[in-house]
Amino acid sequence: MAKFIFVTGGVTSSLGKGIIAASLAKLLQARGLRATIQKFDPYINVDPGTLNPYEHGECYVTDDGAETDLDLGHYERFLNIATSQANNVTTGRIYQTVINKERAGDYLGKTVQVVPHITDEIKRRMLQLGEGDKYDIVITEIGGTVGDIESLPFIEAVRQLQWELPEEDCLVVHLTLIPYLRAAKELKTKPTQHSVRMLSQEGVHPDIIVCRTEKPLNFELRRKIALFCNVKTEAVIEAADAPTIYEVPLAMMREKLDLICLKKLGITQYNEPELARWKEFLDKLKYPKTSVSIGLIGKYVELQDAYKSILEAFVHAGALNECKVNVVNVHSEHITPSNAHEKLGHLDGLLVAPGFGQRGIEGKIVAIQYARETGLPFFGICLGMQMSVIEFARNVIGLKKAHSTEMDPETPEPVIDMMEEQKKIKAMGGTMRLGAYPCDLKEGSLAHRIYGSAHISERHRHRWEFNSAYATQFEEAGMVLSGLNPETGLVEVVELPNHPFFIGVQYHPELKSTVEAPAPLFVHFVAAARRFAERRETPVGVKKELI
Ligand code: GLN
């Protein structure tokens, strides 16, 4: 049986519990332990798939097709291991399970209550990943802030487990904020004291307190926090603001967070941390040799979290290329044929983002036309790929009214159409084409050269697809349909060979990009942008050169 670490948060939200949890897991992994992370979210949606990115940021999709919280993305990027449905549980899912059991008669004769039925289901799921001999340590992040009404059953479940599990098998890390009062020139510990008191009132006593802070915590402050919060002084950990999230594991190592956890958990068998590759990545990230500007064309660009995995994939790919990637947010609604050059002319690459619905669509199509005609490297993901197909149909094949039936159900030229199996689906939650599917790449295509393999697997989240009835027309006009699903023939990749770099993918390669294994498409896209930047002094035109 594995050992369990629970991570709770207090004072305010957005303190970065996910990054602290991922950093701790990374350090434990670097010491040779098998660690995994799961996230419990207190909202009532069964999963975040039905949440608007404005509400909750990006929806992260796992190999097994779960629509999950974006923190799972951090877990995968840090640990380089795949997560699954079991790694993300919401209040909605807990209640759904309990209510389904009640309807099936599993509790016949009993009153079904929050305690013990809901808390038992939470505990069952908290312990589940620790079963079998897969992991030595399971880290569980509890979403929300201590004191919230909705997180109470989760905290109660942690309380019960703290009592039920052997002392050495469980510990609680509480993350708080130590605000700096500029007027008083002082760091203030009171909010942390209150937050720990609140947690204690709910019956959970933290073993370690991680303090987010702008200024260093001196020994006196650490002692004060330790005294008032009833933990050892060495268990008060400073988590200073870091220039990049990828620095946090090293900062936590300097604070000995991993060693304190191992001691409390009674684990004596571990190695010196093996972080050579991680440090190499950080060095490249910190000291780039060149830089490129890549336009991210989307409709949620003002919200960083909406495209989290894409932004992080650029960090990984940039480091590998020793190139700083400046992502320039371009709102698709603001691009028109008359301002395209002004908005896009200074860029070295164009990424058209995933998305849903009508808003900003025509701007995306204009941007793609600009990239296609000027030789600007182009990379389209999901909706971005679909828009590149529409642009090509309209402006190259001459199907002026071409569209996707998502935006125009009556279009006479449905070059993007709803997938057959999707047409009968009415329910919204978890019903898209989700998760990993295989894809075969055409020998000699750009995609094939980028992946270095003819058989790949990538993750999906969509309802519409390239309408294969148009395949011949596209191929005759010069678009290569270079990636197909081996079973259904669904078009997964399109590309233009007479362009320096023009590729659209129906899947989401950003979801599999990690520090140790950056997504190949991002790596080669950044390389193409670099070459474009080097050559941008000379007049642009469609160049035949390929990678
Ligand atoms: N809206 C499109 C579809 O459902 C694209 C989805 C996406 O970009 N994730 O097919």
Side-chain angles (χ1 to χ4, degrees), residues 354-357 381-383 386 406 461-464 506 508:
F356 296 83
I381 298 183
C382 208
L383 183 68
Q386 296 175 356
E406 178 180 3
R461 183 172 190 249
H462 65 122
R463 290 187 208 281
W464 276 265
Q506 183 58 76
H508 292 264

Side-chain angles (χ1 to χ4, degrees), residues 275-334:
L275 288 164
R277 282 175 74 186
W278 190 271
K279 287 182 182 160
E280 194 186 315
F281 156 79
L282 264 181
D283 271 352
K284 286 188 175 167
L285 185 64
K286 281 200 277 194
Y287 308 109
K289 295 192 174 128
T290 53
S291 72
V292 291
S293 292
I294 289 183
L296 172 64
I297 320 286
K299 64 173 176 178
Y300 305 114
V301 286
E302 53 285 89
L303 192 85
Q304 286 289 304
D305 276 357
Y307 302 114
K308 194 84 211 160
S309 295
I310 291 179
L311 297 177
E312 298 304 329
F314 274 129
V315 173
H316 311 151
L320 200 70
N321 277 289
E322 297 183 77
C323 171
K324 167 141 184 52
V325 180
N326 298 308
V327 178
V328 181
N329 294 327
V330 187
H331 213 297
S332 47
E333 277 179 294
H334 302 156

Side-chain angles (χ1 to χ4, degrees), residues 199-210:
L199 190 59
S200 304
Q201 273 165 9
E202 291 173 14
V204 172
H205 185 71
D207 300 283
I208 296 171
I209 299 183
V210 177

Side-chain angles (χ1 to χ4, degrees), residues 322-364:
E322 297 183 77
C323 171
K324 167 141 184 52
V325 180
N326 298 308
V327 178
V328 181
N329 294 327
V330 187
H331 213 297
S332 47
E333 277 179 294
H334 302 156
I335 309 170
T336 62
S338 54
N339 72 11
H341 185 69
E342 177 203 327
K343 293 241 179 252
L344 312 172
H346 59 292
L347 299 170
D348 308 314
L350 194 73
L351 184 140
V352 178
F356 296 83
Q358 170 65 35
R359 193 159 63 85
I361 285 300
E362 293 304 324
K364 288 186 174 176

Side-chain angles (χ1 to χ4, degrees), residues 487-498:
E487 282 129 44
T488 59
L490 198 82
V491 176
E492 306 277 30
V493 189
V494 299
E495 57 188 74
L496 294 179
N498 63 345

Side-chain angles (χ1 to χ4, degrees), residues 429-460:
T431 56
M432 282 187 242
R433 179 173 181 245
L434 290 166
Y437 284 92
C439 173
D440 286 352
L441 300 175
K442 204 168 260 170
E443 205 71 39
S445 64
L446 176 63
H448 184 223
R449 276 174 286 150
I450 286 176
Y451 280 93
S453 160
H455 307 286
I456 59 163
S457 168
E458 292 278 12
R459 300 181 193 169
H460 299 69

Side-chain angles (χ1 to χ4, degrees), residues 77-99:
R77 288 187 279 273
F78 275 53
L79 297 181
N80 201 33
I81 55 172
T83 55
S84 69
Q85 179 67 74
N87 297 72
N88 190 197
V89 177
T90 69
T91 293
R93 195 171 289 279
I94 298 281
Y95 271 79
Q96 192 184 47
T97 310
V98 171
I99 291 170

